[in-house]
Amino acid sequence: MAVTFSNLHTESGLKALNDFLSGKSYISGNKLTKDDIKVYAAVLKNPGDSFPNVSQWYNSVSSQLAASFPCKAVGVGFGGKAAPAESAKAEAADDDDDLDLFGDETEEDKKAAEEREAAKKSAKKKESGKSSVLMDVKPWDDETDMKKLEEAVRSVEMPGLLWGASKLVAVGYGIKKLQIMLTIVDDLVSVDTLIEEYLTTEPRNEYIQSCDIVAFNKI
């Protein structure tokens, strides 16, 4: 149900707002919303101890707005009978132009919401592309500690990389290679980069002589 506030530049209007905020942190719900911004714009200044609920709410909104605009303000003054903002608010009050907290959504709001939704869908689509890879990891010789070799392989951690099952396969002359499964998120992990910049470089190349891709399948 829509909530309406009138004459927030007067004591009677501030009293009504103070009563409404009793036991509440914000106008709608427990977080700052556009409703708070609309009402904040209609309150000329912090009313102080005369209206403690309004004062506490006003300080909370002010601090959050200040965090959104961190640069130091120089200060702006207005000449004439009244400041434009105050004059406009007074005229609005005289004309009984009350605040409707549930006004129509603007075209800019709709466009921004559509762009955010499209960005979320695009990110989700990209993240969903995965591949299953079977890799051969070869040691330097038959004296290489294959347990430490596997530990070196699995020590590589990065977003989008998941190591799977493994086994030792005989190559010949007493030499065995490690055959290991891995699953990758295509947009986050490059197998070539994994091999060239992680597996076959120091310190892992103490155990790993080379790596070969046996199978590469999209999931």
Side-chain angles (χ1 to χ4, degrees), residues 134-137 165-169 177-181 214:
L134 179 61
M135 179 187 297
D136 279 350
V137 184
S166 65
K167 64 179 180 179
L168 295 179
V169 179
K177 65 182 178 181
L178 176 71
Q179 196 166 80
I180 187 167
M181 294 289 301
V214 179

Side-chain angles (χ1 to χ4, degrees), residues 1-6 8 16 20 39 96-102:
M1 181 177 179
V3 181
T4 300
F5 298 108
S6 302
L8 292 179
F20 176 83
V39 178
D96 293 326
D97 185 12
D98 297 336
L99 278 171
D100 181 3
L101 297 185
F102 296 88

Side-chain angles (χ1 to χ4, degrees), residues 59-73:
N59 287 335
S60 177
V61 176
S62 296
S63 64
Q64 293 189 60
L65 290 178
S68 299
F69 304 94
C71 294
K72 184 178 180 181

Side-chain angles (χ1 to χ4, degrees), residues 29-97:
N30 57 4
K31 292 183 179 181
L32 183 72
T33 67
K34 288 193 293 185
D35 295 345
D36 294 283
I37 304 302
K38 289 180 180 179
V39 178
Y40 179 87
V43 177
L44 301 182
K45 61 181 180 179
N46 190 325
D49 295 337
S50 300
F51 303 98
N53 297 330
V54 177
S55 178
Q56 184 178 357
W57 164 82
Y58 191 96
N59 287 335
S60 177
V61 176
S62 296
S63 64
Q64 293 189 60
L65 290 178
S68 299
F69 304 94
C71 294
K72 184 178 180 181
V74 177
V76 178
F78 299 95
K81 294 180 179 180
E86 296 180 6
S87 178
K89 292 171 187 174
E91 290 176 7
D94 292 339
D95 293 337
D96 293 326
D97 185 12

Side-chain angles (χ1 to χ4, degrees), residues 195-208:
I195 294 173
E196 295 171 6
E197 298 184 11
Y198 291 88
L199 294 176
T200 56
T201 58
E202 294 183 351
R204 298 180 183 89
N205 63 356
E206 179 182 351
Y207 306 102
I208 301 170

